[in-house]
Amino acid sequence: MKGCILDRESFDRNDINMDPLLNQLEDWSCFPASRHDQANERIAGCNIVITNKVRLDRETIFGSDALQLVLLAATGTDNVDLDACREHGVVVCNARQYSRPAVVQHTFALMLCLATSLVTYRDDVRRGAWSDSEVFCLLDHPIHELEGRTLGIIGLGDLGSRVATIGRAFGMSVIVAARPGSPPDADRLALEDFLVAADVVSLHCPLTSGTRDMLSTEQFRLMKKDAILINTARGGIVDPLALAVALRNGQIGGAGIDVLDPEPPPLDHPLLADNIPNLIVTPHNAWGSQESRQRLVYQIAGNLAAWCEGKPVNRVN
């Protein structure tokens, strides 16, 4: 059996133990990173392919006669054509729940930074504003408490549920949006009602045809003027131009964004402009703690071992 890792540097920076995975096969081809147009050549003759974000489309899958197993170094499956894999007899397995502590931690890091204007105050201190102050403290930017505010969750899965739990520990009340295409009920609000009520909107849903650009101009108009948007899910869920306009116009209070579309983003991406107020953008690394990445490798190794035994786990197709 021959294996290929298409983008090893996306999860291994020589700071985790790869042996549980690599020791299962004698023949590995490992690439630090790969472009989509390199995938065909690099997986040729390989039975097992590991990818984090390298796209495997129908042409790539059907162009690899030896391919039997795709192991996703991620939970999301939007970069792999699952239908094509099914038709070609290729098993696809993802990784689950490995990054929960890191993503939840990052979600609240963004939330707290925005609620307290922490980054803005840090910049004020660096430029000497505190040293020039006539009083002992600076209070030039809004500082809000999370306690007593309403945390809105879109996507109440593993991550969303944990964020809700931590939110309640901060003294927040929690509301949940109805799933796209599903009617609201006693536990889940229609999106319009949800956006009107939430002080913080945190996204934890997958990117699908039903969630792409789910938050755009009309949705931002519904939100409170001091509302905060947190996106650690997928960039395509939020219309970037609409968000940039909403922040510039003061329609919402701030946004913490860990994901963009595409990734890596071009320098002229709408949300990378340097004149957007109350915006924090981090480079899709909410998940990337050393502990999370080690758990990821252990889980990929377990997925491979289970498949080799004829009992695949975490199968998504």
Side-chain angles (χ1 to χ4, degrees):
M1 301 288 283
K2 182 177 181 180
C4 174
I5 302 177
L6 285 171
D7 49 356
R8 179 170 173 168
E9 281 192 356
S10 69
F11 59 92
D12 173 33
R13 294 304 179 96
N14 297 317
D15 58 350
I16 57 176
N17 179 16
M18 292 286 289
D19 289 347
L21 175 62
L22 298 180
N23 288 345
Q24 294 191 52
L25 299 179
E26 293 185 0
D27 192 357
W28 284 102
S29 297
C30 295
F31 301 94
S34 300
R35 300 188 309 272
H36 168 63
D37 61 7
Q38 296 174 314
N40 274 337
E41 179 181 356
R42 291 184 170 183
I43 71 174
C46 292
N47 311 104
I48 298 156
V49 171
I50 296 174
T51 177
N52 189 333
K53 293 295 181 287
V54 179
R55 186 161 54 92
L56 301 180
D57 59 15
R58 176 173 291 269
E59 180 181 355
T60 302
I61 292 160
F62 277 87
S64 179
D65 293 336
L67 184 61
Q68 300 178 54
L69 175 66
V70 172
L71 294 171
L72 287 163
T75 302
T77 63
D78 48 286
N79 61 317
V80 177
D81 190 325
L82 299 181
D83 291 334
C85 286
R86 189 181 302 109
E87 294 169 22
H88 199 48
V90 177
V91 173
V92 183
C93 301
N94 71 348
R96 304 173 187 181
Q97 302 180 0
Y98 62 93
S99 63
R100 179 202 294 145
V103 174
V104 172
Q105 174 177 281
H106 197 90
T107 296
F108 280 94
L110 292 172
M111 198 184 305
L112 289 164
C113 281
L114 289 162
T116 61
S117 298
L118 186 148
V119 175
T120 307
Y121 279 116
R122 180 205 62 186
D123 293 343
D124 285 352
V125 171
R126 287 180 174 178
R127 66 178 177 80
W130 192 18
S131 298
D132 292 339
S133 175
E134 294 184 356
V135 295
F136 77 97
C137 63
L138 296 182
L139 293 173
D140 299 329
H141 314 290
I143 301 172
H144 295 293
E145 299 173 354
L146 295 184
E147 184 171 349
R149 295 191 170 249
T150 299
L151 171 60
I153 305 291
I154 299 181
L156 194 68
D158 179 63
L159 291 172
S161 296
R162 185 59 176 162
V163 168
T165 298
I166 302 300
R168 292 187 183 99
F170 270 102
M172 305 180 80
S173 59
V174 175
I175 59 175
V176 182
R179 296 182 180 91
S182 299
D185 56 33
D187 297 319
R188 294 175 183 263
L189 299 176
L191 183 61
E192 294 79 7
D193 298 330
F194 167 91
L195 293 172
V196 169
D199 294 299
V200 179
V201 173
S202 192
L203 304 181
H204 302 284
C205 54
L207 177 62
T208 66
S209 59
T211 61
R212 180 170 289 280
D213 290 337
M214 180 170 58
L215 297 186
S216 191
T217 302
E218 292 304 316
Q219 288 73 38
F220 293 129
R221 287 175 180 166
L222 293 172
M223 293 173 65
K224 298 179 180 181
K225 288 191 178 299
D226 62 351
I228 291 171
L229 171 67
I230 306 294
N231 186 9
T232 57
R234 288 291 183 268
I237 298 169
V238 177
D239 179 340
L241 285 170
L243 177 57
V245 169
L247 289 168
R248 288 191 179 105
N249 291 345
Q251 288 178 283
I252 65 172
I257 304 295
D258 185 56
V259 284
L260 294 176
D261 186 15
E263 292 175 340
L267 286 174
D268 61 353
H269 190 283
L271 293 178
L272 295 185
D274 59 6
N275 63 347
I276 304 176
N278 299 324
L279 172 66
I280 300 173
V281 178
T282 54
H284 201 150
N285 63 355
W287 70 281
S289 68
Q290 184 176 2
E291 296 89 345
S292 286
R293 291 182 286 112
Q294 187 63 70
R295 284 192 294 267
L296 172 63
V297 169
Y298 289 148
Q299 192 168 153
I300 297 171
N303 288 348
L304 175 55
W307 178 81
C308 288
E309 294 172 358
K311 301 176 182 179
V313 295
N314 293 340
R315 184 170 182 171
V316 294
N317 70 333

